[in-house]
Amino acid sequence: MKLVEFTNKGIYCVPGKFYIDPWRPVDLAVISHAHGDHARWGMKKYLCHHFTKPILKHRISEDIEVQSVEYGEELNINGVKVSFFPAGHIVGSAQIRMEYKGFVTVFSGDYKVQDDGLSTPFELVRCNEFITESTFGLPIYNWLSPDQYSEQMKTWVSKNREQGKTSVFIGYSLGKAQRIMKSLEGYGKIFVHHSIAKINEAIESSGIQLPDYETVYFNDDLKKLDQEIVILPPALLDSNLIRKIPNRATGICSGWMQVRGSRRWRSADAGFAVSDHADWNGLLETVKATGAEKVHVTHGQTEVFAKYLNEIGISAEPVKTIFGDEETEEKEILENPKTSAESGTLKADSKI
């Protein structure tokens, strides 16, 4: 019997009779993390890490039924040993380990191997079968260290201050925004859009301490933002709201900024290749270290990464899922802001 199958509802654990990050309604959804492409509305019951629970309730509904567990805590679901291990992607993110009759399958969810100082650091889990993401599964993607990015951002903020400008960072509300805050902690007053503040409140409700920040409302007098640090979601990049901030310089934070051409997107003043996903070496070293005899490659550079794994002697195959990822969503918004607005993606614009 296969331990997992890839179905039209999502990844299905056959003996356990549950789904992992399903995209259609099921009875039991085991959730790797709270980004919208992995945690969807409509499940009868959710199972996730403790830190993810309040974020899920904020993003889906306070009324959903959610059971949460600690990292390493083992549950028995219809004879399958199920446990969560840190994925290092965002706060609460987890790899899902499933063991049945001595065979171990691990679903990585989204992961990064760098320690961002906020998320529980990635923990390698050895297994027989590994399901990996491949968002940045090309050799051109190699990240600097978090300290190096922090220095880049601080240098840019200093330069903006010298020119009398306000530094506006663009980053996804869950994960990226908190990384930007951590990178600039202690380097000036930080203002965040209310959509980011709501996510911050959900994270802080688990006892996690974030850097100090103040929520900015665009009905306020924006003079207080002068030469300070402002963090906004990508949906606001091409909006009228951001134009209300005088003397601003705009910096986009996304792994896609690694590519030189991407830095010209939307006439941004700067690009920082900060990502919550593993880069090429991170993916490759992780896959090798799991010791898995079989690797399934999901969302991202699936064909290329699976082909390379086979060439170096690791049996791998691409798997079609409908997982996107928040960085792909950022890319879509940055490249096609008007299209995204028409499709309803620009939700942040709907409220000041």
Side-chain angles (χ1 to χ4, degrees), residues 50-55 58 91-92 118 174 178 181 185 192 194 196-215:
H50 290 320
F51 294 162
T52 297
K53 183 176 181 178
I55 309 173
H58 165 69
V91 170
L118 283 174
L174 173 57
Q178 291 75 36
M181 293 170 61
E185 185 174 20
V192 304
H194 63 79
I196 296 171
K198 290 293 184 185
I199 294 290
N200 287 350
E201 290 169 9
I203 291 173
E204 291 170 319
S205 71
S206 295
I208 296 171
Q209 187 171 3
L210 296 174
D212 292 337
Y213 65 92
E214 184 175 321
T215 305

Side-chain angles (χ1 to χ4, degrees), residues 114 142-150 152 179 258 273-274 279:
Q114 291 183 326
N142 290 286
W143 312 141
L144 300 175
S145 71
D147 286 344
Q148 288 172 311
Y149 283 123
S150 176
Q152 279 190 353
R179 278 198 71 183
Q258 181 83 51
V274 179
D279 63 7

Side-chain angles (χ1 to χ4, degrees), residues 141-307:
Y141 293 108
N142 290 286
W143 312 141
L144 300 175
S145 71
D147 286 344
Q148 288 172 311
Y149 283 123
S150 176
E151 283 306 309
Q152 279 190 353
M153 292 182 189
K154 290 175 180 176
T155 299
W156 187 65
V157 170
S158 294
K159 179 182 173 184
N160 290 334
R161 284 175 180 157
E162 289 171 3
Q163 298 175 353
K165 293 183 177 180
T166 300
S167 300
V168 180
F169 289 87
I170 303 295
Y172 196 72
S173 300
L174 173 57
K176 196 66 61 60
Q178 291 75 36
R179 278 198 71 183
I180 299 168
M181 293 170 61
K182 189 66 178 176
S183 297
L184 294 169
E185 185 174 20
Y187 207 63
K189 197 163 187 176
I190 297 175
F191 293 85
V192 304
H193 186 258
H194 63 79
S195 61
I196 296 171
K198 290 293 184 185
I199 294 290
N200 287 350
E201 290 169 9
I203 291 173
E204 291 170 319
S205 71
S206 295
I208 296 171
Q209 187 171 3
L210 296 174
D212 292 337
Y213 65 92
E214 184 175 321
T215 305
V216 59
Y217 296 95
F218 282 79
N219 285 330
D220 294 348
D221 182 356
L222 299 184
K223 289 181 181 176
K224 64 183 179 182
L225 304 183
D226 185 43
Q227 300 184 47
E228 302 288 2
I229 297 165
V230 182
I231 306 174
L232 303 177
L236 295 182
L237 179 61
D238 211 32
S239 70
N240 289 328
L241 293 185
I242 196 172
R243 297 188 187 101
K244 291 183 177 180
I245 303 174
N247 300 321
R248 70 185 181 281
T250 306
I252 298 174
C253 298
S254 170
W256 303 110
M257 293 296 112
Q258 181 83 51
V259 182
R260 182 179 295 274
S262 299
R263 297 174 188 171
R264 294 194 291 269
W265 283 344
R266 311 310 307 161
S267 65
D269 299 291
F272 302 94
V274 179
S275 177
D276 292 325
H277 295 261
D279 63 7
W280 168 258
N281 287 322
L283 290 170
L284 199 54
E285 290 170 7
T286 299
V287 168
K288 290 178 180 176
T290 63
E293 301 116 32
K294 180 69 178 182
V295 177
H296 303 279
V297 183
T298 68
H299 58 295
Q301 308 294 334
T302 55
E303 298 286 343
V304 174
F305 193 57
K307 183 173 185 292

